[in-house]
């Protein structure tokens, strides 16, 4: 009887492992949604990663959970240490935005001055391994890189006002972009956002048409597009999303508590105790957002906070070429949210939506059987798309600019 129970337990564990490894899952090129335009044809031809099979490591790479876990635990394999300079930007409300600036290791292939302005994921900064790996790869291809450090994310930088980063606040990113434009008047920009950073950069570009000036293109990877729609899915156990929600909430608690004196110092003792009590007992991001985060910008409810800070209400205003990348096995982004980028790409000629079968959340590791390569598919596709976009701008006829409409072309010919 006992041996039978042990055998059943072992069989159950093996079954779970096999299901998690997902070995029988096929590999395929990304599923692309786009309109057939000269620019899009050129981009897809010039960036082969978008049309070729993405092949993850055989033994574990077809599991979105393992890809996500490896990204979350290690970030990247053999991560380099790019050397940059930290910049401090005072904000109007007393906050101090910081970003790290990395100069290119050589000339860009077009001979132009190109800067990538990069917004990391939730609670992340320039010292994270996946950011360091990507920056090093971009530097080697001739790009200057400016990486935003989310307000409050760096453990050794004190807050200078009672506010930290939120889901969709674009103030710090706008300040960094403004600095780059002023300091390098000849540079053109490639905008890149990872996860929460993807929401911020798309919202930033869509908030004001002037924010798109000197921007060649934008790439967003693994964002969820609408916090309001994602809210319910994050409370579901499907794909262990509720568990991931708990882990991210725990990380947010640590960040908030590390700045408790700056964030709550001006409040009454009773209010501080109430806020901290609700924070300690929170088990989800939604509880933290409702009790703490929404109040930084005076939102009256969680619904209003999520509505105002989600890029879904702004992304349709983006006119520059836009590459939206997601993974079908991302355990954090529910499949229902992917109708947003798919519908957008079907309606707007400047948008390409790329959905890979595998990759997890910001994983996208590549490798033969067991050990992943230092560079991921994600790193290669962003730089490949950026290179293609720069090449298009360099060699295109004047009326085929990515910023000009067909009516503008007609007028120019006339």
């Amino acid at each position: 009887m006992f041996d039978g129970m042990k055998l059943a337990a072992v069989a159950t564990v093996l079954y779970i492992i096999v299901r998690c490894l997902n070995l029988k899952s096929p590999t395929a090129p990304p599923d692309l949604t786009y309109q057939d335009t000269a620019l899009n044809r050129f981009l897809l031809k010039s960036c082969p990663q978008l049309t070729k099979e993405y092949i993850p490591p055989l033994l574990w790479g077809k599991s979105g959970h393992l890809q996500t876990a490896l990204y979350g635990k290690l970030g990247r394999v053999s991560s380099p240490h790019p050397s940059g300079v930290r910049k401090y930007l005072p904000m109007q409300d007393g906050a101090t935005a910081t970003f790290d600036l990395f100069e290119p290791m050589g000339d860009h292939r077009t001979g132009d001055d190109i800067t990538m302005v990069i917004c990391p994921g939730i609670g992340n900064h320039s010292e994270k391994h996946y950011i360091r790996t990507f920056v090093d790869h971009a530097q080697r291809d001739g790009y200057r890189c400016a990486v935003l450090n989310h307000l409050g994310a760096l453990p050794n930088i004190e807050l200078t006002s009672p506010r930290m980063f939120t889901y969709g606040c674009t103030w710090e990113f706008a300040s960094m972009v403004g600095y780059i434009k002023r300091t390098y008047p000849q540079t053109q920009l490639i905008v890149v956002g990872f996860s929460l950073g993807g929401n911020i950069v798309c919202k930033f570009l869509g908030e004001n048409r002037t924010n798109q000036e000197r921007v060649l293109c934008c790439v967003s990877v693994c964002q969820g597009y609408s916090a309001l729609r994602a809210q319910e899915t994050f409370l579901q156990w499907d794909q262990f999303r509720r568990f991931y929600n708990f882990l991210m909430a725990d990380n947010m608690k640590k960040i908030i508590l590390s700045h408790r004196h700056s964030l709550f110092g001006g409040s009454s003792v009773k209010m501080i105790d109430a806020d901290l009590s609700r924070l300690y007992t929170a088990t989800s991001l939604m509880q933290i957002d409702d009790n703490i985060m929404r109040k930084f910008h005076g939102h009256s409810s969680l619904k209003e906070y999520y509505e105002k800070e989600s890029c879904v209400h702004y992304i349709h205003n983006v006119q520059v070429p836009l590459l939206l990348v997601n993974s079908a096995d991302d355990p954090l982004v529910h499949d229902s949210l992917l109708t947003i980028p798919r519908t957008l790409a079907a309606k707007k000629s400047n948008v390409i939506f790329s959905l890979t079968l595998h990759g997890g959340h910001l994983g996208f590791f590549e490798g033969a059987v067991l050990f992943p390569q230092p560079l991921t598919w994600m790193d290669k596709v962003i730089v490949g798309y950026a290179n293609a976009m720069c090449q298009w701008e360099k060699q295109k006829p004047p009326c085929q600019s990515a910023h000009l409409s067909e009516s503008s072309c007609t007028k120019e010919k006339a």
Side-chain angles (χ1 to χ4, degrees):
M1 179 72 174
F2 182 69
D3 288 340
M5 291 176 64
K6 285 201 300 184
L7 185 61
V10 170
T12 302
V13 170
L14 288 175
Y15 173 75
I16 293 172
I17 291 173
V18 169
R19 286 294 301 272
C20 192
L21 291 177
N22 206 15
L23 292 175
K24 292 184 178 180
S25 179
T27 58
D31 179 30
L32 299 175
T33 305
Y34 64 97
Q35 291 189 15
D36 186 24
T37 66
L39 172 58
N40 286 342
R41 288 194 298 271
F42 177 84
L43 291 172
L44 295 178
K45 180 180 179 181
S46 304
C47 182
Q49 289 87 0
L50 286 172
T51 54
K52 290 184 177 179
E53 267 187 311
Y54 159 55
I55 304 177
L58 177 64
L59 289 184
W60 54 268
K62 295 179 182 179
S63 166
H65 296 293
L66 293 179
Q67 288 249 21
T68 302
L70 188 59
Y71 145 73
K73 192 66 178 174
L74 297 179
R76 290 296 180 258
V77 177
S78 303
S79 181
H81 294 268
S83 178
V85 177
R86 183 152 296 163
K87 302 290 184 178
Y88 297 82
L89 304 174
M91 309 288 290
Q92 288 185 349
D93 67 342
T96 303
T98 71
F99 71 94
D100 285 23
L101 188 63
F102 304 86
E103 292 298 332
M105 294 184 186
D107 294 335
H108 191 268
R109 63 187 63 196
T110 62
D112 293 331
D113 187 304
I114 314 289
T115 302
M116 285 193 175
V117 284
I118 303 164
C119 193
I122 184 170
N124 291 174
H125 44 74
S126 61
E127 296 174 11
K128 291 292 182 180
H129 287 200
Y130 78 99
I131 295 293
R132 283 167 29 193
T133 299
F134 175 70
V135 166
D136 180 78
H137 181 47
Q139 282 181 292
R140 293 177 187 277
D141 256 56
Y143 292 96
R144 178 186 299 108
C145 293
V147 182
L148 182 70
N149 299 309
H150 283 301
L151 201 61
L154 282 168
N156 58 336
I157 301 292
E158 291 291 331
L159 293 176
T160 58
S161 75
R163 179 174 70 83
M164 59 180 286
F165 77 91
T166 57
Y167 177 67
C169 179
T170 60
W171 297 351
E172 294 82 54
F173 188 76
S175 181
M176 179 181 78
V177 171
Y179 176 94
I180 295 297
K181 286 183 176 180
R182 292 190 302 273
T183 307
Y184 305 97
Q186 301 304 315
T187 199
Q188 293 177 296
L189 305 180
I190 307 287
V191 179
V192 180
F194 298 102
S195 191
L196 171 141
N199 178 72
I200 288 175
V201 300
C202 289
K203 182 171 177 279
F204 165 75
L205 292 175
E207 283 176 334
N208 195 315
R209 186 63 186 265
T210 60
N211 291 346
Q212 300 176 48
E213 293 174 359
R214 291 167 57 186
V215 173
L216 289 178
C217 63
C218 174
V219 183
S220 161
V221 185
C222 287
Q223 70 151 307
Y225 306 97
S226 171
L228 191 62
R229 295 191 200 180
Q231 180 182 1
E232 289 186 8
T233 71
F234 256 115
L235 294 174
Q236 300 166 358
W237 280 101
D238 174 50
Q239 291 292 313
F240 301 105
R241 205 169 290 108
R242 183 68 180 86
F243 178 65
Y244 288 107
N245 187 359
F246 174 81
L247 293 179
M248 290 190 291
D250 190 57
N251 187 55
M252 281 298 298
K253 281 185 192 180
K254 292 175 183 175
I255 295 175
I256 294 170
L257 289 172
S258 71
H259 297 289
R260 72 180 76 184
H261 299 298
S262 300
L263 294 174
F264 306 111
S267 304
S268 66
V269 174
K270 186 177 291 187
M271 188 176 294
I272 292 173
D273 289 342
D275 285 339
L276 289 178
S277 177
R278 286 190 288 265
L279 178 63
Y280 283 124
T281 57
T283 60
S284 72
L285 284 175
M286 285 71 75
Q287 290 172 317
I288 294 175
D289 288 341
D290 193 21
N291 293 316
I292 306 292
M293 308 302 285
R294 69 173 175 84
K295 298 176 182 178
F296 292 142
H297 294 282
H299 295 295
S300 60
S301 67
L302 185 63
K303 180 180 179 181
E304 179 186 282
Y305 170 65
Y306 283 161
E307 285 279 3
K308 294 286 181 66
E309 301 230 339
S310 294
C311 76
V312 66
H313 303 296
Y314 302 87
I315 197 169
H316 59 278
N317 296 325
V318 179
Q319 302 301 320
V320 299
L322 177 60
L323 174 63
L324 303 172
V325 179
N326 286 94
S327 169
D329 66 357
D330 185 337
L332 303 186
V333 180
H334 192 271
D335 181 65
S336 62
L337 299 171
L338 301 181
T339 58
I340 297 170
R342 190 176 286 114
T343 301
L344 187 73
K347 289 182 177 180
K348 290 180 65 71
S349 61
N350 63 304
V351 181
I352 296 176
F353 174 50
S354 172
L355 181 66
T356 60
L357 273 178
H358 308 292
H361 190 77
L362 297 181
F364 298 105
F365 292 97
E366 290 184 309
V369 179
L370 180 60
F371 298 105
Q373 299 169 1
L375 274 182
T376 68
W377 178 88
M378 177 181 79
D379 302 318
K380 297 172 186 175
V381 81
I382 298 173
V383 171
Y385 177 84
N387 286 341
M389 196 64 240
C390 293
Q391 193 63 42
W392 168 269
E393 286 293 316
K394 192 75 173 177
Q395 67 183 41
K396 63 171 173 41
C399 83
Q400 285 189 339
S401 169
H403 306 283
L404 292 177
S405 63
E406 289 186 12
S407 60
S408 301
C409 263
T410 304
K411 291 177 183 177
E412 189 170 317
K413 289 176 182 176

